Amino acid sequence: MKKWLLPVGIIVGLIVVIGFYIVGIQNTAITKSQAVNKSWGDVQTSYQRRNDLIGNLVETVKGAAEFEKSTFEAVTAARAKATQTTIDPTNVTPEQLAQFNQAQSGVSSALSRLLVTVEAYPELKANQNFLKLQDELASTENTIQTARVRFNETIEAYNNHILKFPNNLFLGQYKEKPFFDAEPGAEKAPEVKF
């Protein structure tokens, strides 16, 4: 047997093992990137559900009360702005995420004003359709929170995979993605007045 075959066999074997290792790193990165995209889709679906419910809520309130025009316009404008703000999860930047967060914060603020307006209409508060919509909206807000938390968990797994050594040597084309941050002012407790 030729002596040079053993070292060549070992070298070829190492190249094959390293090749499979690199392919495994790449495939895992692709899987995690797709998980980020799916998770972002879940966030958008939750926000879309809220936007759909807001339209029904506004129409219910509008039909049952002498609705204040400025509040209606604020809710409609905030909802329209929020639906126009889109993000590509493959190229998301902290700035885009902040812009999206700001648009959604505008919806939350306008919705709060809408619900405060409702307090002036006792017959509306007793309306079963309104109560059901209000419950659905509360449930949707919880769903949004859950989707955002899961998105951040997915981002964490993705970022950990692409940034850890030695993966980062083979995944230069993958970029770190930003997390959802709290909305500005979220650290302050809201004032509740009756």
Side-chain angles (χ1 to χ4, degrees), residues 21-31 161 170-174:
Y21 178 73
I22 292 170
V23 167
I25 288 173
Q26 289 283 341
N27 287 341
T28 302
I30 289 169
T31 301
H161 181 73
F170 306 110
L171 299 173
Q173 73 273 24
Y174 291 89

Side-chain angles (χ1 to χ4, degrees), residues 1-7:
M1 191 152 143
K2 298 184 181 184
K3 290 184 178 184
W4 62 271
L5 282 177
L6 182 61

Side-chain angles (χ1 to χ4, degrees), residues 21 160-169:
Y21 178 73
N160 283 339
H161 181 73
I162 66 160
L163 296 174
K164 283 185 178 177
F165 182 81
N167 296 0
N168 60 355
L169 299 175

Side-chain angles (χ1 to χ4, degrees), residues 183-191:
E183 294 176 8
E187 69 280 356
K188 298 175 189 166
E191 283 186 38

Side-chain angles (χ1 to χ4, degrees), residues 46-122:
S46 298
Y47 278 118
Q48 183 61 50
R49 177 175 161 74
R50 178 174 74 171
N51 287 336
D52 294 345
L53 283 172
I54 287 172
N56 293 334
L57 186 66
V58 166
E59 289 304 314
T60 301
V61 173
K62 195 174 174 184
E66 291 181 20
F67 200 66
E68 296 167 18
K69 187 177 180 182
S70 64
T71 304
F72 172 70
E73 289 171 354
V75 171
T76 303
R79 181 178 169 225
K81 183 178 179 186
T83 57
Q84 291 173 353
T85 306
T86 58
I87 293 179
D88 176 11
T90 57
N91 298 317
V92 65
T93 65
E95 295 79 22
Q96 289 173 326
L97 208 51
Q99 182 183 12
F100 182 84
N101 221 8
Q102 184 179 16
Q104 295 303 329
S105 180
V107 172
S108 296
S109 177
L111 191 55
S112 294
R113 288 194 303 275
L114 171 67
L115 294 176
V116 166
T117 301
V118 166
E119 295 297 319
Y121 301 97

